[in-house]
Amino acid sequence: MKAFEYASPTTKEQAVSLLSAQWGETEILAGGTDLLSLMKDYLSAPKRVVNIKGIKEFQGIRTSAAGVRLGSLVTLEELLDNQWVKAECAALAEAADGVRSQQIRNMGTVGGDLCQRPRCWYFRGGFGYFPKGEGGEDLIAQGENTYHAILGNSGPAYFVNPSSLAPALIALNAKVRLFGSQGWRDVAAEEFFVTPTREGEREYVMKPNEILGEVIVPPSKGLKSATYEVRQKEALDWPLAAASVSLKMNGKAVQEARLVLGHVAPVPWRCQEAEKALVGPASEERAAEVAKVALKDAKPLSQNAHRVQLARVALKRAIVQATQGGA
Amino acid sequence: VISVDISAAEKLPGVRAVKIIKGPGSEIQWAFDEVVGVAAIDENTAEDAIRKIVVKYEKLPHFVKEEAIEKAGKNAKPAAEQVTGDPDKGFQEAEVVVSGEYGISVITHCCLEPHGQVLEWEDKNLTVYPSTQNVSGMAGQYAQPLQMPASNIKVRMDHVGGGFGSKFGADGWGIESAHLAKQAGAPVKTFLERDAELFVAGTRPSHFAKIKVGAKKDGSLVAWHSESWASGGLTGGGMPPIPYVLNIPNQRKIHTAVVTNVGASRAWRAPNHPQACWLTLAALDDLAAELKMDPLDFYIKNLGLAGVRADLYRRELLKAAELMEWQKKWHPRGDATAGHLKRGVGLGFHTWGGRGHDSECRLTVNPDGSVVVALGSQDLGVGTRTVLAMVAGETFGLPVEAITIQIGKAPDYPPSGASGGSTTVGGVSSATRRAAVDALDQLFSKVAPGLGVEASQLEAVGGKIQAKGDPAKSLAWKQATAKLGVTPINTTGKNPGEGKLIDSGVGGVQMADVTVDIETGIVKMNKFVAVQDCGLIINEKTAESQVFGAMIMGVCYSLMEERIMDEYLGRPLNSNMEFYKLAGIGDIGDFVVHMWKDDPEQDGRGVIGLGEPPVISPAAAIGNAVANAIGVRVPRIPLTPERVLAALDKKGGLTS
């Protein structure tokens, strides 16, 4: 790990002033569950690390008529412990529960979950963001791509977005609040993530000198929501596919739906055609049909066709879970 | 290697030594081979220095994915075919023949404490603090490459965090670190990073085989044909002992060793047996399914081919079946109940030697009553210290707390074998027993006259030396040892030695009960039963723990553990604890261990090692349970969701 300057500001204004306008020069430290491993692996070698844990404004969960406001420093464990979140945002609580490591839930934060870097093993192994061979070959397309994208994968990015909470927040129509030198700006959770096309870009619209300070989840108003992860292990393991859904129900019929897949594309994947197809009487058969619609444009790579099936199952089961009692 | 520039690293403050290990002109055979060594005042400085070293390489052709034997070209080294009986005639006589292709991936030892050591020079003497399974055998391995007498080398190790067969040697990093320590004029600590630990510090070779096997309609096995291949790195990989346990009458076996540019394989618990067990029992389970026979009946019918342990296997199979409720749970292939969760049971069985290694124990009974047992052995966390204290304690009629165990130092303590192949418990317990009996005889001779009893009529029980069956004529242990005056009793016990204290050759049976989600391909363990023979059990708790540990390892390698290589890069992609998947507590299900004590003559066999046998059968038991659940063979271990779905897809049974 390269030596670096360490700053521990106590206000958001101080924190922003300590951040560089260039990616890579400074890094924001919250739970550290991702940043420390990136630094140990020399994938990030910042000149300055800005610890934001001392900024009280970014802490805590507050509920009001406008919904729930999650400070970006709220840990996954705090989310799971919050009765309001459990009662009103089942999809979010279930997503946090999918992180099956007590240690990571204790340290990992909402902001960190959204901003963590891809788990692509070429990237993490130091072979690059868009790894290429000496002759320009696309190493992922021809290589070990079982865990890579099945949607939105026309290249050069093949990694999957690793966030556990993002699909749930998008399904719940949340917004992300970013603080910068010009003050706050709001971005819909769905608009927060982007697919990078050049080395050095990041996977979100946040600028290097902005901080993700809050997430606002609108009032649930009786929405039924759920998250289902297909994970090989009960112990800590990345999902092979995940789905978060939120449904506005009228009795046993779906009036409106937001369906989002996780771990299948470089960004959390909203399934708008499937959302329309789900409107109508709810049943397991219908959920299965809708899941097929959601994945019809999937283009698996050489080794990951099975994950199209897994994504269908995740979505079908999330829909069934929501209609059968999700909050 | 074209060129190596270490100048920038040498200039970095805090760097104490830089040594080129493979200079220009050297050929590097695998990623993570030792090229340059750096010693610095701390880990971060060493890491920074490494990044300042510039090595220019010429990239040579490499081959790293041995499962694709058709791409191996000249890396494939076929061996002569082996024939037993008349396989052609055997298959003509067979009434039912099945064939299939089966495989089991490379796994790594994945020791939680990585390989490494601290090395300290004092003048011409070297002290090594290694993480090793081989305390007594370590000095000699440093002496030769360092061109120094082994007598100038001391070895010290109290505890080791996992070895599994990968920690017998000094290793290249050990020898080079000794050079660096000398160059730096300071002690050097070198431990592998997780990525190197998983890639170059030990792998279990993969094995693949196309197998054809034939039987009569009544299930009697008559013929075996296998075309197998395996890789253990540069040395290729030998043929596993197939067909496993059952010596099928007519066999033809063709094996090809495949050379790969990867870190060399090392002994992994029961070398070659888990692979052989899986390949054989998967093929035979497919044959039993074709015959529409319950595998339990099928194997019992064929146990005549199992040799001397046939009857032991029969009774162990029945015991395991009782503990698993096999009769209630087994069904013909394919769980016919509705829904996406399918349940099934499967079985495996195995054998191993486990004879105690050469060992020497120095035992001291001091006049103050204290007892010291010293051996140049090591405790891999399996209870070696416990077992030694029990053997000496029981011999002297003393509690285990009264015995001081000294292990982990050489040459201070007498030499004992490396802990590999399930040889430790037999070696160290018999050496200690002999030393203790000898010491006790000497003590009896000292105290006999005072008690007015023949030495041969004394016994040591309950902390006393007494006339056999007559507590009135007794001395408390310390009163007895006080009779020694100022001279302690020193004895040496050895294995091998007089009398039958140990044996070799065990059998074991395992049965698994699994549930498979046929929509996701995810396999969950419900219950896992192990019935294990190991002769005389010294300490039941640590013996059971060995079996539990083996079963956990077995679940890991059956369901999730495998090394993933990138063909272009020639490098591993999952040499970390994130994508090199190991089971957590929620993934293993319920375990039932039955240590075999069901024969009156069991204790008389003496002590037999237990480290290897219970880790052999898991893939067969779990893999066959999956086939029983979903009605189709998943031919490759580990049984990942992808492979389970692929097998279901082939069968046309996939639903969503």
Side-chain angles (χ1 to χ4, degrees):
Chain A
M1 192 188 293
K2 197 176 143 238
F4 56 87
E5 184 189 317
Y6 181 75
S8 235
T10 53
T11 69
K12 60 184 187 301
E13 290 78 13
Q14 283 173 348
V16 162
S17 73
L18 290 161
L19 292 173
S20 163
Q22 297 296 318
W23 284 123
E25 292 199 338
T26 55
E27 292 279 11
I28 296 169
L29 171 69
T33 58
D34 190 22
L35 181 63
L36 284 165
S37 57
L38 288 165
M39 290 173 70
K40 283 185 190 170
D41 290 341
Y42 286 73
L43 295 169
S44 173
K47 291 177 186 157
R48 179 188 293 149
V49 170
V50 180
N51 168 28
I52 60 167
K53 283 198 292 288
I55 302 172
K56 290 205 167 58
E57 224 180 300
F58 294 163
Q59 295 169 356
I61 300 176
R62 271 200 321 267
T63 54
S64 70
V68 62
R69 172 261 181 212
L70 307 168
S72 60
L73 293 173
V74 166
T75 65
L76 300 180
E77 191 64 17
E78 281 177 80
L79 265 190
L80 271 180
D81 280 349
N82 189 284
Q83 290 311 311
W84 193 93
V85 171
K86 261 192 195 157
E88 300 285 316
C89 314
L92 191 58
E94 286 159 8
D97 188 49
V99 180
R100 303 310 286 272
S101 154
Q102 185 69 56
Q103 292 94 329
I104 290 180
R105 288 200 307 270
N106 287 344
M107 293 303 293
T109 63
V110 168
D113 176 82
L114 296 174
C115 296
Q116 63 186 307
R117 307 302 308 280
R119 306 308 307 185
C120 164
W121 48 23
Y122 290 90
F123 171 61
R124 296 274 167 175
F127 305 112
Y129 204 42
F130 305 128
K132 294 276 189 292
E134 283 163 2
E137 314 90 309
D138 199 321
L139 292 192
I140 294 175
Q142 71 175 32
E144 299 300 316
N145 50 41
T146 182
Y147 295 120
H148 287 80
I150 52 171
L151 284 159
N153 57 356
S154 53
Y158 296 103
F159 57 77
V160 295
N161 182 282
S163 171
S164 297
L165 305 183
L169 290 172
I170 294 169
L172 294 165
N173 202 14
K175 67 182 175 192
V176 168
R177 304 199 73 214
L178 307 174
F179 187 78
S181 56
Q182 307 297 311
W184 289 102
R185 72 176 172 116
D186 293 359
V187 179
E190 189 181 353
E191 308 294 329
F192 180 69
F193 298 98
V194 291
T195 303
T197 54
R198 285 198 304 270
E199 287 284 345
E201 289 183 347
R202 292 269 167 122
E203 305 83 29
Y204 30 77
V205 298
M206 188 171 72
K207 296 195 176 78
N209 53 3
E210 286 182 320
I211 301 174
L212 197 165
E214 305 181 342
V215 175
I216 311 286
V217 185
S220 75
K221 292 181 183 161
L223 286 177
K224 299 285 185 190
S225 77
T227 294
Y228 189 93
E229 291 186 348
V230 176
R231 275 194 324 272
Q232 188 183 1
K233 286 163 57 176
E234 288 295 323
L236 183 66
D237 195 12
W238 295 102
L240 297 166
S244 292
V245 305
S246 91
L247 309 176
K248 188 176 171 190
M249 303 291 291
N250 181 6
K252 296 206 163 181
V254 176
Q255 272 193 325
E256 211 179 306
R258 285 172 73 91
L259 310 178
V260 187
L261 297 172
H263 300 271
V264 295
V267 294
W269 198 261
R270 178 121 183 249
C271 313
Q272 281 167 312
E273 195 182 334
E275 288 172 2
K276 291 191 192 88
L278 188 60
V279 173
S283 70
E284 186 168 345
E285 294 68 34
R286 192 172 183 91
E289 284 306 312
V290 163
K292 279 183 190 157
V293 172
L295 272 300
K296 75 180 168 49
D297 295 328
K299 289 191 177 61
L301 302 169
S302 58
Q303 295 181 341
N304 63 11
H306 64 288
R307 290 193 29 254
V308 177
Q309 158 74 7
L310 299 182
R312 279 197 293 254
V313 173
L315 185 55
K316 179 186 81 173
R317 291 185 185 178
I319 293 169
V320 170
Q321 200 168 301
T323 53
Q324 290 178 354
Chain B
V1 177
I2 306 298
S3 67
V4 183
D5 181 358
I6 59 171
S7 54
E10 283 179 316
K11 283 180 203 138
L12 192 73
V15 170
R16 297 283 291 272
V18 182
K19 179 174 184 282
I20 295 174
I21 298 163
K22 302 252 163 66
S26 310
E27 209 166 273
I28 307 296
Q29 295 294 340
W30 57 77
F32 294 102
D33 199 357
E34 299 99 4
V35 180
V36 181
V38 171
I41 52 166
D42 58 29
E43 190 181 341
N44 282 342
T45 308
E47 182 82 21
D48 282 343
I50 288 168
R51 281 162 198 276
K52 291 185 183 298
I53 295 166
V54 183
V55 183
K56 287 201 177 117
Y57 298 102
E58 179 195 349
K59 196 168 155 188
L60 300 176
H62 58 261
F63 184 70
V64 296
K65 288 171 89 78
E66 75 287 354
E67 61 265 48
I69 192 172
E70 69 282 359
K71 292 186 189 167
K74 62 180 173 37
N75 286 43
K77 317 273 185 203
E81 84 173 27
Q82 295 179 23
V83 174
T84 315
D86 188 340
D88 295 330
K89 190 157 161 263
F91 278 107
Q92 277 166 18
E93 286 169 4
E95 291 162 323
V96 179
V97 174
V98 298
S99 55
E101 185 174 327
Y102 310 89
I104 179 166
S105 295
V106 170
I107 64 169
T108 91
H109 293 67
C110 200
C111 303
L112 286 186
E113 178 197 37
H115 287 59
Q117 67 291 307
V118 175
L119 294 145
E120 186 171 21
W121 289 95
E122 269 179 292
D123 195 16
K124 289 179 177 167
N125 298 308
L126 177 66
T127 306
V128 187
Y129 302 84
S131 174
T132 186
Q133 299 173 238
N134 191 9
V135 166
S136 289
M138 197 47 55
Q141 297 186 55
Y142 278 91
Q144 198 200 4
L146 296 176
Q147 297 181 304
M148 65 186 288
S151 53
N152 288 14
I153 299 174
K154 286 189 283 195
V155 179
R156 302 277 179 271
M157 186 194 71
D158 287 330
H159 303 285
V160 55
F164 316 111
S166 67
K167 286 182 178 166
F168 297 120
D171 286 318
W173 47 82
I175 304 301
E176 296 303 336
S177 297
H179 288 301
L180 283 168
K182 186 157 252 181
Q183 202 177 322
V188 164
K189 176 182 183 180
T190 312
F191 276 82
L192 298 187
E193 294 276 9
R194 181 54 52 187
D195 52 3
E197 176 66 23
L198 264 72
F199 190 57
V200 290
T203 59
R204 184 180 82 180
S206 57
H207 278 91
F208 300 88
K210 291 171 185 164
I211 296 170
K212 188 167 78 165
V213 60
K216 296 283 196 184
K217 274 185 187 149
D218 68 355
S220 319
L221 285 161
V222 291
W224 169 277
H225 175 99
S226 57
E227 294 166 35
S228 54
W229 69 99
S231 178
L234 284 188
T235 53
M239 181 160 68
I242 48 176
Y244 192 59
V245 176
L246 299 177
N247 190 15
I248 297 171
N250 305 294
Q251 305 176 15
R252 175 175 285 113
K253 300 186 288 192
I254 305 159
H255 183 75
T256 302
V258 182
V259 173
T260 47
N261 298 96
V262 297
S265 66
R266 297 182 177 200
W268 189 98
R269 288 181 91 163
N272 290 328
H273 282 236
Q275 299 97 318
C277 181
W278 160 248
L279 296 176
T280 303
L281 298 188
L284 295 186
D285 190 73
D286 286 348
L287 179 61
E290 186 69 25
L291 286 160
K292 308 213 180 307
M293 282 180 81
D294 179 338
L296 190 60
D297 301 332
F298 171 76
Y299 288 122
I300 287 174
K301 179 164 195 71
N302 282 292
L303 279 175
L305 305 173
V308 293
R309 272 179 291 285
D311 191 54
L312 173 68
Y313 282 122
R314 185 182 62 79
R315 288 183 301 142
E316 285 183 331
L317 280 165
L318 294 174
K319 185 71 197 178
E322 175 197 324
L323 295 169
M324 177 51 87
E325 298 181 281
W326 179 276
Q327 307 292 357
K328 200 173 95 188
K329 290 180 181 171
W330 184 82
H331 51 72
R333 275 223 175 147
D335 179 355
T337 53
H340 62 273
L341 298 176
K342 305 294 182 190
R343 194 164 175 173
V345 289
L347 71 85
F349 47 87
H350 54 259
T351 185
W352 189 256
R355 181 176 297 282
H357 56 209
D358 287 7
S359 182
E360 193 173 321
C361 169
R362 185 175 71 220
L363 190 144
T364 305
V365 178
N366 287 304
D368 68 357
S370 59
V371 178
V372 182
V373 169
L375 306 94
S377 186
Q378 49 278 321
D379 188 338
L380 272 53
V382 299
T384 303
R385 286 181 173 89
T386 305
V387 159
L388 293 175
M390 284 179 69
V391 169
E394 283 185 20
T395 307
F396 295 133
L398 296 172
V400 291
E401 298 79 22
I403 313 296
T404 299
I405 302 298
Q406 295 182 332
I407 58 172
K409 286 185 182 170
D412 316 51
Y413 307 146
S416 205
S419 289
S422 303
T423 58
T424 305
V425 70
V428 297
S429 65
S430 54
T432 301
R433 170 71 178 171
R434 290 184 179 110
V437 167
D438 193 8
L440 188 62
D441 284 346
Q442 291 185 34
L443 185 62
F444 285 164
S445 302
K446 280 277 182 191
V447 302
L451 286 170
V453 183
E454 287 289 314
S456 64
Q457 294 308 304
L458 289 171
E459 61 180 356
V461 286
K464 287 177 181 170
I465 305 292
Q466 65 183 34
K468 281 180 186 168
D470 184 2
K473 288 182 180 171
S474 72
L475 283 173
W477 174 257
K478 286 189 179 178
Q479 291 173 320
T481 57
K483 306 278 183 202
L484 296 172
V486 294
T487 312
I489 297 171
N490 273 306
T491 58
T492 298
K494 287 187 181 182
N495 187 57
E498 255 178 64
K500 182 177 187 277
L501 297 178
I502 61 172
D503 202 357
S504 175
V506 299
V509 168
Q510 296 185 0
M511 291 182 177
D513 165 3
V514 304
T515 294
V516 184
D517 182 331
I518 56 164
E519 289 185 347
T520 63
I522 293 171
V523 179
K524 295 287 179 207
M525 297 295 298
N526 298 320
K527 186 174 175 179
F528 197 7
V529 170
V531 175
Q532 186 59 53
D533 154 42
C534 71
L536 169 68
I537 298 163
I538 298 176
N539 179 266
E540 187 146 6
K541 186 173 190 173
T542 52
E544 280 181 354
S545 280
Q546 274 278 37
V547 183
F548 283 127
M551 292 163 82
I552 293 171
M553 248 175 149
V555 171
C556 292
Y557 80 69
S558 300
L559 297 183
M560 48 193 74
E561 214 180 334
E562 69 182 313
R563 187 184 67 192
I564 312 273
M565 296 295 300
D566 182 89
E567 193 172 8
Y568 178 89
L569 295 166
R571 285 173 171 269
L573 292 170
N574 67 337
S575 46
N576 53 49
M577 301 288 270
E578 179 180 6
F579 287 109
Y580 187 82
K581 296 188 180 190
L582 298 172
I585 201 77
D587 296 305
I588 61 173
D590 291 332
F591 285 0
V592 176
V593 172
H594 179 86
M595 300 306 297
W596 194 254
K597 293 180 291 185
D598 307 37
D599 291 327
E601 64 272 26
Q602 187 75 359
D603 285 358
R605 292 192 67 193
V607 178
I608 312 173
L610 184 59
E612 335 287 299
V615 86
I616 297 168
S617 279
I622 295 168
N624 291 335
V626 168
N628 183 246
I630 66 175
V632 60
R633 168 66 53 189
V634 184
R636 174 85 175 267
I637 297 288
L639 305 160
T640 60
E642 179 179 1
R643 295 192 180 116
V644 172
L645 288 179
L648 282 163
D649 211 10
K650 211 169 159 187
K651 175 196 163 205
L654 188 59
T655 56
S656 70

